[in-house]
Amino acid sequence: MLDELEKGEIELTEEMIQSEEFIHSFVIIYRAVVNTYSREKIRYFARILKYGISQNKLASDEFEEFVQILDTLSLTELSLIQTLNEFEPNVGQTETNNKDKKLKLPEYWDEYLEKIQKQHNFSKEVTTDKLSRLNRIGLYKTFTGSYWGYNGDMGKTTHLFSKFTEWIELESESS
């Protein structure tokens, strides 16, 4: 965790380390880190702390919310939602050249499910169940209403997911 903090351009002064908000925030992060064995999640927790320091948001509700969200997420769930996010920019784009194609919602979803099945060996039903949990957390939202060819159980990442990725610097991890 300390390695991740050293990567940033944040200088931890004696005054900062002794402040109530830093101690409180560090304890929250420490408790979460103790409960995981995943080095990847530990790096993400450190990034939350680093972002909170750099943006002066240690004492914010956002800080505690994002620590709690990361604590409850499995790396598999994080991978599912990140993979979905990678597909989303393609939805609704107009065709600009032969490489780009405008995807209809069902084509987009089928490609997403196919990638998830290859990455994690999940069936459509298991993926839907896991996305349902992400829906309750607030990182994913199921589409409502009617779309041409919509059969249900499809959705998109949320604004909360976008903010969360800023805090854990998820974009730099995508492959």
Side-chain angles (χ1 to χ4, degrees), residues 24-152:
H24 175 76
S25 301
F26 187 82
V27 168
I28 289 171
I29 293 287
Y30 182 78
R31 285 183 187 152
V33 165
V34 167
N35 290 324
T36 187
Y37 63 88
S38 167
R39 290 186 187 274
E40 190 171 355
K41 278 183 79 169
I42 291 169
R43 281 195 315 270
Y44 290 143
F45 283 121
R47 290 174 184 178
I48 289 174
L49 183 60
K50 185 171 65 172
Y51 189 89
I53 293 167
S54 71
Q55 301 298 313
N56 198 24
K57 291 187 175 189
L58 286 181
S60 69
D61 288 342
E62 259 185 321
F63 175 84
E64 291 192 30
E65 181 179 19
F66 291 142
V67 170
Q68 183 180 23
I69 287 172
L70 180 58
D71 194 32
T72 63
L73 284 177
S74 70
L75 290 176
T76 301
E77 291 167 329
L78 195 52
S79 173
L80 289 176
I81 195 74
Q82 174 61 17
T83 302
L84 177 58
N85 189 60
E86 290 169 6
F87 278 88
E88 287 178 336
N90 295 323
V91 175
Q93 285 183 350
T94 57
E95 195 170 306
T96 56
N97 61 38
N98 291 339
K99 290 181 188 176
D100 297 332
K101 60 180 178 177
K102 185 175 180 180
L103 296 177
K104 295 178 186 171
L105 190 59
E107 293 168 356
Y108 155 78
W109 198 255
D110 290 343
E111 288 180 33
Y112 167 68
L113 292 175
E114 185 179 314
K115 184 169 183 177
I116 291 302
Q117 188 170 14
K118 286 179 184 174
Q119 284 180 337
H120 300 286
N121 198 28
F122 288 158
S123 67
K124 177 184 176 184
E125 292 76 20
V126 170
T127 302
T128 300
D129 292 345
K130 290 187 177 291
L131 288 172
S132 178
R133 183 171 184 278
L134 292 168
N135 206 348
R136 288 190 303 274
I137 293 170
L139 302 181
Y140 170 80
K141 184 175 182 175
T142 306
F143 292 128
T144 55
S146 59
Y147 298 89
W148 181 258
Y150 181 56
N151 296 323

